[in-house]
PDB file of all heavy atoms in Angstrom:
ATOM      1  N   LYS D   1     -23.449 180.690 -74.897  1.00 90.00           N
ATOM      2  CA  LYS D   1     -22.770 181.442 -73.884  1.00 90.00           C
ATOM      3  C   LYS D   1     -22.197 180.382 -72.819  1.00 90.00           C
ATOM      4  O   LYS D   1     -21.099 180.564 -72.321  1.00 90.00           O
ATOM      5  CB  LYS D   1     -23.639 182.490 -73.198  1.00 90.00           C
ATOM      6  CG  LYS D   1     -23.979 183.607 -74.151  1.00 90.00           C
ATOM      7  CD  LYS D   1     -24.887 184.566 -73.528  1.00 90.00           C
ATOM      8  CE  LYS D   1     -25.214 185.767 -74.502  1.00 90.00           C
ATOM      9  NZ  LYS D   1     -26.176 186.682 -73.964  1.00 90.00           N
ATOM     10  N   LEU D   2     -23.004 179.435 -72.513  1.00 90.00           N
ATOM     11  CA  LEU D   2     -22.573 178.413 -71.550  1.00 90.00           C
ATOM     12  C   LEU D   2     -21.396 177.588 -72.081  1.00 90.00           C
ATOM     13  O   LEU D   2     -20.570 176.984 -71.322  1.00 90.00           O
ATOM     14  CB  LEU D   2     -23.669 177.449 -71.164  1.00 90.00           C
ATOM     15  CG  LEU D   2     -24.844 178.033 -70.369  1.00 90.00           C
ATOM     16  CD1 LEU D   2     -26.040 177.038 -70.237  1.00 90.00           C
ATOM     17  CD2 LEU D   2     -24.347 178.538 -68.986  1.00 90.00           C
ATOM     18  N   GLY D   3     -21.232 177.490 -73.417  1.00 88.00           N
ATOM     19  CA  GLY D   3     -20.185 176.801 -73.923  1.00 88.00           C
ATOM     20  C   GLY D   3     -18.822 177.523 -73.895  1.00 88.00           C
ATOM     21  O   GLY D   3     -17.791 176.916 -74.095  1.00 88.00           O
ATOM     22  N   ARG D   4     -18.803 178.849 -73.553  1.00 89.00           N
ATOM     23  CA  ARG D   4     -17.553 179.547 -73.548  1.00 89.00           C
ATOM     24  C   ARG D   4     -16.744 179.147 -72.279  1.00 89.00           C
ATOM     25  O   ARG D   4     -17.287 178.848 -71.257  1.00 89.00           O
ATOM     26  CB  ARG D   4     -17.874 181.028 -73.462  1.00 89.00           C
ATOM     27  CG  ARG D   4     -18.549 181.575 -74.714  1.00 89.00           C
ATOM     28  CD  ARG D   4     -18.897 183.088 -74.520  1.00 89.00           C
ATOM     29  NE  ARG D   4     -19.737 183.499 -75.708  1.00 89.00           N
ATOM     30  CZ  ARG D   4     -20.364 184.763 -75.649  1.00 89.00           C
ATOM     31  NH1 ARG D   4     -20.236 185.513 -74.621  1.00 89.00           N
ATOM     32  NH2 ARG D   4     -20.972 185.089 -76.702  1.00 89.00           N
ATOM     33  N   SER D   5     -15.435 179.138 -72.480  1.00 85.00           N
ATOM     34  CA  SER D   5     -14.574 178.698 -71.366  1.00 85.00           C
ATOM     35  C   SER D   5     -14.728 179.578 -70.105  1.00 85.00           C
ATOM     36  O   SER D   5     -14.623 179.101 -68.933  1.00 85.00           O
ATOM     37  CB  SER D   5     -13.107 178.595 -71.823  1.00 85.00           C
ATOM     38  OG  SER D   5     -12.921 177.751 -72.874  1.00 85.00           O
ATOM     39  N   ALA D   6     -14.899 180.825 -70.378  1.00 82.00           N
ATOM     40  CA  ALA D   6     -14.948 181.768 -69.265  1.00 82.00           C
ATOM     41  C   ALA D   6     -16.336 181.824 -68.587  1.00 82.00           C
ATOM     42  O   ALA D   6     -16.490 182.490 -67.559  1.00 82.00           O
ATOM     43  CB  ALA D   6     -14.653 183.236 -69.718  1.00 82.00           C
ATOM     44  N   VAL D   7     -17.317 181.073 -69.120  1.00 85.00           N
ATOM     45  CA  VAL D   7     -18.645 181.058 -68.558  1.00 85.00           C
ATOM     46  C   VAL D   7     -18.842 179.706 -67.861  1.00 85.00           C
ATOM     47  O   VAL D   7     -18.850 179.598 -66.609  1.00 85.00           O
ATOM     48  CB  VAL D   7     -19.735 181.324 -69.612  1.00 85.00           C
ATOM     49  CG1 VAL D   7     -21.113 181.326 -68.936  1.00 85.00           C
ATOM     50  CG2 VAL D   7     -19.514 182.643 -70.208  1.00 85.00           C
ATOM     51  N   ALA D   8     -19.100 178.623 -68.665  1.00 84.00           N
ATOM     52  CA  ALA D   8     -19.357 177.355 -67.999  1.00 84.00           C
ATOM     53  C   ALA D   8     -18.610 176.188 -68.648  1.00 84.00           C
ATOM     54  O   ALA D   8     -18.738 175.100 -68.263  1.00 84.00           O
ATOM     55  CB  ALA D   8     -20.828 177.039 -67.954  1.00 84.00           C
ATOM     56  N   LYS D   9     -17.897 176.478 -69.761  1.00 85.00           N
ATOM     57  CA  LYS D   9     -17.090 175.542 -70.480  1.00 85.00           C
ATOM     58  C   LYS D   9     -17.920 174.351 -70.881  1.00 85.00           C
ATOM     59  O   LYS D   9     -17.537 173.215 -70.785  1.00 85.00           O
ATOM     60  CB  LYS D   9     -15.891 175.035 -69.653  1.00 85.00           C
ATOM     61  CG  LYS D   9     -14.738 174.506 -70.368  1.00 85.00           C
ATOM     62  CD  LYS D   9     -13.606 174.262 -69.545  1.00 85.00           C
ATOM     63  CE  LYS D   9     -12.376 173.717 -70.286  1.00 85.00           C
ATOM     64  NZ  LYS D   9     -11.237 173.432 -69.414  1.00 85.00           N
ATOM     65  N   GLY D  10     -19.145 174.584 -71.338  1.00 85.00           N
ATOM     66  CA  GLY D  10     -20.054 173.567 -71.800  1.00 85.00           C
ATOM     67  C   GLY D  10     -20.848 172.904 -70.728  1.00 85.00           C
ATOM     68  O   GLY D  10     -21.669 172.023 -71.015  1.00 85.00           O
ATOM     69  N   GLY D  11     -20.653 173.331 -69.447  1.00 87.00           N
ATOM     70  CA  GLY D  11     -21.488 172.741 -68.356  1.00 87.00           C
ATOM     71  C   GLY D  11     -22.953 173.118 -68.473  1.00 87.00           C
ATOM     72  O   GLY D  11     -23.325 174.121 -69.017  1.00 87.00           O
ATOM     73  N   ALA D  12     -23.858 172.243 -67.906  1.00 91.00           N
ATOM     74  CA  ALA D  12     -25.272 172.540 -67.990  1.00 91.00           C
ATOM     75  C   ALA D  12     -25.770 172.811 -66.563  1.00 91.00           C
ATOM     76  O   ALA D  12     -27.037 172.961 -66.456  1.00 91.00           O
ATOM     77  CB  ALA D  12     -25.954 171.289 -68.532  1.00 91.00           C
ATOM     78  N   ALA D  13     -25.000 172.864 -65.594  1.00 94.00           N
ATOM     79  CA  ALA D  13     -25.496 173.136 -64.195  1.00 94.00           C
ATOM     80  C   ALA D  13     -24.479 174.050 -63.523  1.00 94.00           C
ATOM     81  O   ALA D  13     -23.283 173.911 -63.599  1.00 94.00           O
ATOM     82  CB  ALA D  13     -25.638 171.860 -63.430  1.00 94.00           C
ATOM     83  N   ILE D  14     -25.037 175.038 -62.812  1.00 95.00           N
ATOM     84  CA  ILE D  14     -24.199 175.956 -61.957  1.00 95.00           C
ATOM     85  C   ILE D  14     -24.827 175.985 -60.614  1.00 95.00           C
ATOM     86  O   ILE D  14     -26.072 175.712 -60.448  1.00 95.00           O
ATOM     87  CB  ILE D  14     -24.124 177.389 -62.594  1.00 95.00           C
ATOM     88  CG1 ILE D  14     -25.477 178.009 -62.753  1.00 95.00           C
ATOM     89  CG2 ILE D  14     -23.422 177.357 -63.897  1.00 95.00           C
ATOM     90  CD1 ILE D  14     -25.481 179.454 -63.209  1.00 95.00           C
ATOM     91  N   GLY D  15     -24.054 176.422 -59.598  1.00 96.00           N
ATOM     92  CA  GLY D  15     -24.490 176.457 -58.220  1.00 96.00           C
ATOM     93  C   GLY D  15     -23.779 177.465 -57.425  1.00 96.00           C
ATOM     94  O   GLY D  15     -22.590 177.763 -57.736  1.00 96.00           O
ATOM     95  N   THR D  16     -24.400 177.843 -56.386  1.00 96.00           N
ATOM     96  CA  THR D  16     -23.767 178.805 -55.381  1.00 96.00           C
ATOM     97  C   THR D  16     -24.154 178.410 -54.009  1.00 96.00           C
ATOM     98  O   THR D  16     -25.273 178.124 -53.718  1.00 96.00           O
ATOM     99  CB  THR D  16     -24.223 180.232 -55.660  1.00 96.00           C
ATOM    100  OG1 THR D  16     -23.906 180.672 -56.984  1.00 96.00           O
ATOM    101  CG2 THR D  16     -23.577 181.260 -54.708  1.00 96.00           C
ATOM    102  N   ALA D  17     -23.127 178.392 -53.108  1.00 96.00           N
ATOM    103  CA  ALA D  17     -23.411 178.325 -51.638  1.00 96.00           C
ATOM    104  C   ALA D  17     -22.853 179.451 -50.965  1.00 96.00           C
ATOM    105  O   ALA D  17     -21.633 179.763 -51.018  1.00 96.00           O
ATOM    106  CB  ALA D  17     -22.786 177.017 -51.140  1.00 96.00           C
ATOM    107  N   LEU D  18     -23.715 180.184 -50.281  1.00 96.00           N
ATOM    108  CA  LEU D  18     -23.369 181.398 -49.483  1.00 96.00           C
ATOM    109  C   LEU D  18     -23.377 180.989 -48.030  1.00 96.00           C
ATOM    110  O   LEU D  18     -24.389 180.552 -47.490  1.00 96.00           O
ATOM    111  CB  LEU D  18     -24.329 182.501 -49.787  1.00 96.00           C
ATOM    112  CG  LEU D  18     -24.141 183.818 -49.090  1.00 96.00           C
ATOM    113  CD1 LEU D  18     -22.793 184.449 -49.280  1.00 96.00           C
ATOM    114  CD2 LEU D  18     -25.266 184.758 -49.393  1.00 96.00           C
ATOM    115  N   ILE D  19     -22.251 181.184 -47.321  1.00 96.00           N
ATOM    116  CA  ILE D  19     -22.055 180.792 -45.900  1.00 96.00           C
ATOM    117  C   ILE D  19     -21.756 182.030 -45.057  1.00 96.00           C
ATOM    118  O   ILE D  19     -20.722 182.640 -45.297  1.00 96.00           O
ATOM    119  CB  ILE D  19     -21.061 179.691 -45.768  1.00 96.00           C
ATOM    120  CG1 ILE D  19     -21.286 178.521 -46.763  1.00 96.00           C
ATOM    121  CG2 ILE D  19     -20.914 179.193 -44.310  1.00 96.00           C
ATOM    122  CD1 ILE D  19     -20.052 177.633 -46.982  1.00 96.00           C
ATOM    123  N   VAL D  20     -22.581 182.303 -44.068  1.00 96.00           N
ATOM    124  CA  VAL D  20     -22.413 183.423 -43.172  1.00 96.00           C
ATOM    125  C   VAL D  20     -22.509 182.916 -41.735  1.00 96.00           C
ATOM    126  O   VAL D  20     -23.583 182.396 -41.406  1.00 96.00           O
ATOM    127  CB  VAL D  20     -23.398 184.554 -43.409  1.00 96.00           C
ATOM    128  CG1 VAL D  20     -23.025 185.754 -42.637  1.00 96.00           C
ATOM    129  CG2 VAL D  20     -23.536 184.909 -44.943  1.00 96.00           C
ATOM    130  N   PRO D  21     -21.571 183.172 -40.918  1.00 95.00           N
ATOM    131  CA  PRO D  21     -20.260 183.714 -41.125  1.00 95.00           C
ATOM    132  C   PRO D  21     -19.293 182.749 -41.871  1.00 95.00           C
ATOM    133  O   PRO D  21     -19.547 181.556 -41.815  1.00 95.00           O
ATOM    134  CB  PRO D  21     -19.698 184.123 -39.781  1.00 95.00           C
ATOM    135  CG  PRO D  21     -20.350 183.103 -38.853  1.00 95.00           C
ATOM    136  CD  PRO D  21     -21.739 182.843 -39.466  1.00 95.00           C
ATOM    137  N   GLY D  22     -18.335 183.318 -42.548  1.00 92.00           N
ATOM    138  CA  GLY D  22     -17.348 182.486 -43.266  1.00 92.00           C
ATOM    139  C   GLY D  22     -15.967 183.127 -43.202  1.00 92.00           C
ATOM    140  O   GLY D  22     -15.994 184.345 -43.360  1.00 92.00           O
ATOM    141  N   ASP D  23     -14.904 182.399 -43.022  1.00 91.00           N
ATOM    142  CA  ASP D  23     -13.588 183.024 -42.950  1.00 91.00           C
ATOM    143  C   ASP D  23     -12.605 182.069 -43.566  1.00 91.00           C
ATOM    144  O   ASP D  23     -12.919 180.948 -44.018  1.00 91.00           O
ATOM    145  CB  ASP D  23     -13.199 183.329 -41.502  1.00 91.00           C
ATOM    146  CG  ASP D  23     -13.404 182.048 -40.592  1.00 91.00           C
ATOM    147  OD1 ASP D  23     -13.379 180.983 -41.079  1.00 91.00           O
ATOM    148  OD2 ASP D  23     -13.514 182.283 -39.387  1.00 91.00           O
ATOM    149  N   GLU D  24     -11.302 182.498 -43.558  1.00 91.00           N
ATOM    150  CA  GLU D  24     -10.265 181.679 -44.231  1.00 91.00           C
ATOM    151  C   GLU D  24     -10.041 180.305 -43.563  1.00 91.00           C
ATOM    152  O   GLU D  24      -9.784 179.316 -44.263  1.00 91.00           O
ATOM    153  CB  GLU D  24      -8.928 182.530 -44.213  1.00 91.00           C
ATOM    154  CG  GLU D  24      -8.876 183.619 -45.187  1.00 91.00           C
ATOM    155  CD  GLU D  24      -9.062 183.174 -46.622  1.00 91.00           C
ATOM    156  OE1 GLU D  24      -8.631 182.050 -46.961  1.00 91.00           O
ATOM    157  OE2 GLU D  24      -9.629 183.940 -47.445  1.00 91.00           O
ATOM    158  N   PRO D  25     -10.109 180.197 -42.213  1.00 91.00           N
ATOM    159  CA  PRO D  25      -9.996 178.861 -41.646  1.00 91.00           C
ATOM    160  C   PRO D  25     -11.100 177.889 -42.213  1.00 91.00           C
ATOM    161  O   PRO D  25     -10.722 176.692 -42.456  1.00 91.00           O
ATOM    162  CB  PRO D  25     -10.232 179.071 -40.150  1.00 91.00           C
ATOM    163  CG  PRO D  25      -9.696 180.526 -39.951  1.00 91.00           C
ATOM    164  CD  PRO D  25     -10.093 181.203 -41.156  1.00 91.00           C
ATOM    165  N   LEU D  26     -12.301 178.358 -42.392  1.00 89.00           N
ATOM    166  CA  LEU D  26     -13.347 177.475 -43.001  1.00 89.00           C
ATOM    167  C   LEU D  26     -12.910 177.150 -44.383  1.00 89.00           C
ATOM    168  O   LEU D  26     -13.050 175.949 -44.831  1.00 89.00           O
ATOM    169  CB  LEU D  26     -14.629 178.228 -42.969  1.00 89.00           C
ATOM    170  CG  LEU D  26     -15.770 177.560 -43.793  1.00 89.00           C
ATOM    171  CD1 LEU D  26     -16.181 176.207 -43.093  1.00 89.00           C
ATOM    172  CD2 LEU D  26     -16.965 178.486 -43.877  1.00 89.00           C
ATOM    173  N   ILE D  27     -12.400 178.073 -45.192  1.00 89.00           N
ATOM    174  CA  ILE D  27     -11.976 177.817 -46.495  1.00 89.00           C
ATOM    175  C   ILE D  27     -10.960 176.732 -46.594  1.00 89.00           C
ATOM    176  O   ILE D  27     -10.932 175.804 -47.388  1.00 89.00           O
ATOM    177  CB  ILE D  27     -11.540 179.082 -47.280  1.00 89.00           C
ATOM    178  CG1 ILE D  27     -12.615 180.122 -47.256  1.00 89.00           C
ATOM    179  CG2 ILE D  27     -11.094 178.793 -48.656  1.00 89.00           C
ATOM    180  CD1 ILE D  27     -13.913 179.661 -47.785  1.00 89.00           C
ATOM    181  N   GLU D  28      -9.931 176.881 -45.711  1.00 89.00           N
ATOM    182  CA  GLU D  28      -8.838 175.917 -45.652  1.00 89.00           C
ATOM    183  C   GLU D  28      -9.296 174.551 -45.320  1.00 89.00           C
ATOM    184  O   GLU D  28      -8.724 173.511 -45.820  1.00 89.00           O
ATOM    185  CB  GLU D  28      -7.764 176.403 -44.674  1.00 89.00           C
ATOM    186  CG  GLU D  28      -6.988 177.676 -45.154  1.00 89.00           C
ATOM    187  CD  GLU D  28      -6.416 177.497 -46.535  1.00 89.00           C
ATOM    188  OE1 GLU D  28      -5.811 176.395 -46.701  1.00 89.00           O
ATOM    189  OE2 GLU D  28      -6.520 178.372 -47.330  1.00 89.00           O
ATOM    190  N   ARG D  29     -10.232 174.384 -44.387  1.00 86.00           N
ATOM    191  CA  ARG D  29     -10.781 173.042 -44.021  1.00 86.00           C
ATOM    192  C   ARG D  29     -11.360 172.360 -45.307  1.00 86.00           C
ATOM    193  O   ARG D  29     -11.209 171.126 -45.472  1.00 86.00           O
ATOM    194  CB  ARG D  29     -11.854 173.120 -42.900  1.00 86.00           C
ATOM    195  CG  ARG D  29     -11.214 173.462 -41.601  1.00 86.00           C
ATOM    196  CD  ARG D  29     -12.212 173.071 -40.446  1.00 86.00           C
ATOM    197  NE  ARG D  29     -13.561 173.692 -40.651  1.00 86.00           N
ATOM    198  CZ  ARG D  29     -13.866 174.821 -40.169  1.00 86.00           C
ATOM    199  NH1 ARG D  29     -12.974 175.545 -39.529  1.00 86.00           N
ATOM    200  NH2 ARG D  29     -15.141 175.286 -40.232  1.00 86.00           N
ATOM    201  N   ILE D  30     -12.066 173.137 -46.141  1.00 84.00           N
ATOM    202  CA  ILE D  30     -12.663 172.633 -47.320  1.00 84.00           C
ATOM    203  C   ILE D  30     -11.541 172.242 -48.383  1.00 84.00           C
ATOM    204  O   ILE D  30     -11.556 171.207 -48.968  1.00 84.00           O
ATOM    205  CB  ILE D  30     -13.630 173.597 -47.922  1.00 84.00           C
ATOM    206  CG1 ILE D  30     -14.831 173.838 -46.872  1.00 84.00           C
ATOM    207  CG2 ILE D  30     -14.209 173.155 -49.282  1.00 84.00           C
ATOM    208  CD1 ILE D  30     -15.771 174.910 -47.337  1.00 84.00           C
ATOM    209  N   ARG D  31     -10.611 173.113 -48.518  1.00 83.00           N
ATOM    210  CA  ARG D  31      -9.563 172.884 -49.500  1.00 83.00           C
ATOM    211  C   ARG D  31      -8.631 171.756 -49.119  1.00 83.00           C
ATOM    212  O   ARG D  31      -8.021 171.177 -50.046  1.00 83.00           O
ATOM    213  CB  ARG D  31      -8.753 174.194 -49.658  1.00 83.00           C
ATOM    214  CG  ARG D  31      -9.522 175.286 -50.398  1.00 83.00           C
ATOM    215  CD  ARG D  31      -8.751 176.520 -50.374  1.00 83.00           C
ATOM    216  NE  ARG D  31      -9.409 177.607 -51.179  1.00 83.00           N
ATOM    217  CZ  ARG D  31      -9.096 178.920 -51.172  1.00 83.00           C
ATOM    218  NH1 ARG D  31      -8.124 179.304 -50.364  1.00 83.00           N
ATOM    219  NH2 ARG D  31      -9.811 179.822 -51.848  1.00 83.00           N
ATOM    220  N   GLU D  32      -8.557 171.400 -47.837  1.00 80.00           N
ATOM    221  CA  GLU D  32      -7.634 170.317 -47.432  1.00 80.00           C
ATOM    222  C   GLU D  32      -8.203 168.979 -47.774  1.00 80.00           C
ATOM    223  O   GLU D  32      -7.403 168.004 -47.709  1.00 80.00           O
ATOM    224  CB  GLU D  32      -7.424 170.483 -45.907  1.00 80.00           C
ATOM    225  CG  GLU D  32      -6.463 171.610 -45.528  1.00 80.00           C
ATOM    226  CD  GLU D  32      -6.438 171.800 -44.005  1.00 80.00           C
ATOM    227  OE1 GLU D  32      -7.120 171.059 -43.291  1.00 80.00           O
ATOM    228  OE2 GLU D  32      -5.703 172.685 -43.517  1.00 80.00           O
ATOM    229  N   ALA D  33      -9.438 168.905 -48.075  1.00 71.00           N
ATOM    230  CA  ALA D  33     -10.026 167.536 -48.406  1.00 71.00           C
ATOM    231  C   ALA D  33      -9.329 167.014 -49.663  1.00 71.00           C
ATOM    232  O   ALA D  33      -9.052 167.772 -50.632  1.00 71.00           O
ATOM    233  CB  ALA D  33     -11.495 167.719 -48.580  1.00 71.00           C
ATOM    234  N   THR D  34      -9.110 165.685 -49.683  1.00 59.00           N
ATOM    235  CA  THR D  34      -8.423 165.141 -50.840  1.00 59.00           C
ATOM    236  C   THR D  34      -9.295 164.528 -51.865  1.00 59.00           C
ATOM    237  O   THR D  34      -8.852 164.283 -52.969  1.00 59.00           O
ATOM    238  CB  THR D  34      -7.431 164.031 -50.312  1.00 59.00           C
ATOM    239  OG1 THR D  34      -8.266 163.014 -49.608  1.00 59.00           O
ATOM    240  CG2 THR D  34      -6.407 164.551 -49.363  1.00 59.00           C
ATOM    241  N   GLU D  35     -10.604 164.328 -51.569  1.00 75.00           N
ATOM    242  CA  GLU D  35     -11.569 163.733 -52.589  1.00 75.00           C
ATOM    243  C   GLU D  35     -11.665 164.658 -53.701  1.00 75.00           C
ATOM    244  O   GLU D  35     -11.843 165.855 -53.625  1.00 75.00           O
ATOM    245  CB  GLU D  35     -12.848 163.411 -51.914  1.00 75.00           C
ATOM    246  CG  GLU D  35     -12.828 162.534 -50.766  1.00 75.00           C
ATOM    247  CD  GLU D  35     -12.712 163.342 -49.398  1.00 75.00           C
ATOM    248  OE1 GLU D  35     -12.240 164.460 -49.496  1.00 75.00           O
ATOM    249  OE2 GLU D  35     -12.990 162.781 -48.385  1.00 75.00           O
ATOM    250  N   PRO D  36     -11.567 164.072 -54.989  1.00 84.00           N
ATOM    251  CA  PRO D  36     -11.753 164.986 -56.112  1.00 84.00           C
ATOM    252  C   PRO D  36     -13.204 165.274 -56.383  1.00 84.00           C
ATOM    253  O   PRO D  36     -14.104 164.493 -55.998  1.00 84.00           O
ATOM    254  CB  PRO D  36     -11.231 164.066 -57.299  1.00 84.00           C
ATOM    255  CG  PRO D  36     -11.506 162.646 -56.831  1.00 84.00           C
ATOM    256  CD  PRO D  36     -11.285 162.707 -55.285  1.00 84.00           C
ATOM    257  N   PHE D  37     -13.479 166.486 -56.999  1.00 89.00           N
ATOM    258  CA  PHE D  37     -14.855 166.866 -57.275  1.00 89.00           C
ATOM    259  C   PHE D  37     -15.154 166.396 -58.689  1.00 89.00           C
ATOM    260  O   PHE D  37     -14.283 166.273 -59.518  1.00 89.00           O
ATOM    261  CB  PHE D  37     -14.951 168.432 -57.205  1.00 89.00           C
ATOM    262  CG  PHE D  37     -14.871 168.945 -55.813  1.00 89.00           C
ATOM    263  CD1 PHE D  37     -13.821 169.786 -55.374  1.00 89.00           C
ATOM    264  CD2 PHE D  37     -15.895 168.725 -54.956  1.00 89.00           C
ATOM    265  CE1 PHE D  37     -13.757 170.219 -54.162  1.00 89.00           C
ATOM    266  CE2 PHE D  37     -15.875 169.238 -53.647  1.00 89.00           C
ATOM    267  CZ  PHE D  37     -14.834 169.958 -53.212  1.00 89.00           C
ATOM    268  N   ALA D  38     -16.469 166.205 -58.926  1.00 89.00           N
ATOM    269  CA  ALA D  38     -16.886 165.724 -60.280  1.00 89.00           C
ATOM    270  C   ALA D  38     -16.874 166.920 -61.265  1.00 89.00           C
ATOM    271  O   ALA D  38     -16.735 166.667 -62.476  1.00 89.00           O
ATOM    272  CB  ALA D  38     -18.306 165.165 -60.205  1.00 89.00           C
TER     273      ALA D  38
END
């Protein structure tokens, strides 16, 4: 199941970060970063 593209595409690690409160300006600050993710 983890090998399926719609699940984890072969990945062996998953994670979740829940941030309260959180809004679109916070999301935009994160998305504006230029460093690539692994």
Side-chain angles (χ1 to χ4, degrees):
K1 292 177 180 178
L2 292 173
R4 297 175 185 170
S5 298
V7 180
K9 203 175 181 179
I14 60 173
T16 301
L18 176 61
I19 307 164
V20 187
D23 52 23
E24 286 299 329
L26 171 65
I27 301 306
E28 290 305 315
R29 288 201 304 272
I30 295 172
R31 289 174 177 167
E32 286 171 0
T34 58
E35 302 91 340
F37 290 112

